[in-house]
Amino acid sequence: DTGVSQDPRHKITKRGQNVTFRCDPISEHNRLYWYRQTLGQGPEFLTYFQNEAQLEKSRLLSDRFSAERPKGSFSTLEIQRTEQGDSAMYLCASSSFGAGEQFFGPGTRLTVL
Amino acid sequence: SQQGEEDPQALSIQEGENATMNCSYKTSINNLQWYRQNSGRGLVHLILIRSNEREKHSGRLRVTLDTSKKSSSLLITASRAADTASYFCATESGGSNYKLTFGKGTLLTVNP
């Protein structure tokens, strides 16, 4: 399967703990996006990478959130000192240059107790 | 913040009937896209319509775009039980670094 993959698929953590999610985009895609989706809502943009450069961050991304894309390949999203309000599905998507269509991974569902 | 608003929020139809979902948005766009989401396959891209296009077809899907009204519609013809899912419109706006702004979605249930 050469689609977008995310790991883990589910994460349960206690408030105050740090968590890290990984996203492997489609290999030839140079653009990578993170979105967050809560129940009953559409996905909301968090951040965007073109190759290894993080070009935009949403105001939703507080200083407890950090994302990286070393070498322009896989990406990680870390949440420090998790709060119950961070509970959501975290989606990763990738696209190729010039294409509007984004390919989404299955998501990581985070539950903060 | 959500840009698109889908209408209705939920729609229930019988297999074989057509389903129409509408989307309204607020700012000028480069393109508008429709995605489907169900628990089995996550978010899947269905169709993209550019701001200079008015109508587009793909299989059983027909999308229209009215930029003067800032609205779009998605028509699914001859629906099947497998079409049961949430449908989202998403807009890509000028200078947006290609990020998508999604609406809240329409939950479509197709009864066999």
Side-chain angles (χ1 to χ4, degrees), chain A residues 52-100:
Chain A
E52 66 276 10
Q54 187 174 20
L55 297 185
E56 187 170 347
K57 292 170 61 173
S58 164
R59 284 172 291 179
L60 292 173
L61 219 62
S62 75
D63 56 6
R64 297 184 297 105
F65 288 71
S66 62
E68 293 182 339
R69 193 184 182 196
K71 303 178 182 178
S73 55
F74 70 92
S75 175
T76 58
L77 177 68
E78 180 183 17
I79 309 174
Q80 295 182 328
R81 304 180 305 280
T82 53
E83 302 173 354
Q84 287 186 323
D86 297 332
S87 295
M89 176 75 84
Y90 289 84
L91 297 165
C92 176
S94 68
S95 69
S96 58
F97 182 79

